[in-house]
């Protein structure tokens, strides 16, 4: 049974994530302890609320160092909702710009949609070789609650794009990144822990990578 730590840095649906991971077959601990978080088979970084507040909490808890240390050893990390957003370079919300962890290029911004927040069930578009979405029908719906997202994956000067990184998109007023699979670092903008059997299947797929 895979040992998973849900990082407690003062943000996120900790208990919902814990219960969903347990249903998916993991042994789960919710903790802020760095050693436990680094040594676990998998680390989940949840997050709800404002980008800047989540980053402040993450930095105060040293969560950025935990993420960096795990990824330096190719140890899996899964971000959820704002836990995905803070992995990008920066976020801009209500005129406030904040630096993110900077693992991925791009900026988290307000979606250009007449209806916000984007709240409810929606489909995603995933590549055929996706790890998280393996075995899931293209019409499968996941539960979203957000007004901000990374709308694109910037092209690196010289013509390089995402490379081997798998980009999963969804639509709400415009296209945005619904999930990213980047080696040991993966994340979802939606809430798998609130997405019923579809979310459970996705979490099982992630656990199989540990």
């Amino acid at each position: 049974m895979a040992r998973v730590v849900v990082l407690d840095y003062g943000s996120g649906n900790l208990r919902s994530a814990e219960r969903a991971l347990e249903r998916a077959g993991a042994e789960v601990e919710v903790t802020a302890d760095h050693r436990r978080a680094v040594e676990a088979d998998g680390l989940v970084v949840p997050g709800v609320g404002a980008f800047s507040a989540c980053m402040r909490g993450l930095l105060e808890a040293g969560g950025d160092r935990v993420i960096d240390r795990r990824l330096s050893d190719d140890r899996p990390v899964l971000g959820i909702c704002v836990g995905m957003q803070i992995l990008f370079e920066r976020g801009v919300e209500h005129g406030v710009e904040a630096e993110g962890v900077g693992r991925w290029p791009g900026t988290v911004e307000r979606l250009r949609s007449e209806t916000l927040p984007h709240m409810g069930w929606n489909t995603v578009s995933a590549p055929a070789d996706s790890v998280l979405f393996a075995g899931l029908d293209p019409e499968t719906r996941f539960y979203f609650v957000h007004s901000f997202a990374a709308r694109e994956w910037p092209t690196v000067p010289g013509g390089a794009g995402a490379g081997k990184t798998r980009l999963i998109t969804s639509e709400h007023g415009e296209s945005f990144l619904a999930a990213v699979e980047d080696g040991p670092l993966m994340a979802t903008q939606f809430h798998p822990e609130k997405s019923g059997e579809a979310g459970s299947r996705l979490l099982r797929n992630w656990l199989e990578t540990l």
Side-chain angles (χ1 to χ4, degrees):
M1 182 179 291
R3 294 182 302 108
V4 174
V5 160
V6 176
L7 187 63
D8 183 1
Y9 66 99
S11 178
N13 300 308
L14 303 178
R15 300 305 169 187
S16 294
E18 178 185 26
R19 289 192 296 269
L21 286 159
E22 287 176 342
R23 288 194 298 270
E27 176 185 327
V28 188
E29 178 181 7
V30 177
T31 182
D33 183 87
H34 286 199
R35 182 181 63 83
R36 303 285 290 176
V38 168
E39 293 179 354
D41 297 321
L43 177 69
V44 172
V45 182
V48 295
F51 184 105
S52 59
C54 283
M55 269 307 300
R56 184 165 57 249
L58 186 75
L59 294 173
E60 289 174 353
D64 57 325
R65 298 194 300 274
V66 171
I67 293 171
D68 287 344
R69 184 170 173 188
R70 286 189 62 88
L71 294 177
S72 68
D73 293 330
D74 287 331
R75 299 180 67 80
V77 176
L78 177 68
I80 295 176
C81 196
V82 183
M84 170 177 168
Q85 295 178 6
I86 58 177
L87 296 171
F88 288 88
E89 290 175 317
R90 66 187 60 84
V92 180
E93 295 188 6
H94 310 296
V96 176
E97 181 171 337
E99 290 188 2
V101 175
R103 281 284 167 176
W104 292 331
T107 302
V108 173
E109 300 175 283
R110 185 180 177 90
L111 288 172
R112 293 185 288 248
S113 173
E114 294 181 358
T115 305
L116 290 174
H118 173 211
M119 180 163 50
W121 299 85
N122 204 348
T123 57
V124 304
S125 178
D129 63 347
S130 168
V131 174
L132 293 178
F133 298 88
L136 287 163
D137 188 276
E139 295 304 311
T140 300
R141 293 179 178 270
F142 299 89
Y143 190 76
F144 290 83
V145 184
H146 66 116
S147 297
F148 298 81
R151 299 203 299 261
E152 60 183 3
W153 187 280
T155 300
V156 176
K164 295 182 179 179
T165 303
R166 300 180 186 92
L167 305 178
I168 294 87
T169 60
S170 187
E171 296 275 344
H172 184 74
E174 62 178 326
S175 178
F176 65 90
L177 293 176
V180 176
E181 300 174 7
D182 183 23
L185 182 59
M186 303 186 187
T188 67
Q189 176 61 66
F190 56 84
H191 290 272
E193 78 279 11
K194 296 182 178 180
S195 295
E197 178 53 35
S200 185
R201 175 60 185 268
L202 181 143
L203 291 175
R204 291 197 300 272
N205 286 344
W206 180 67
L207 291 174
E208 289 175 2
T209 71
L210 305 185

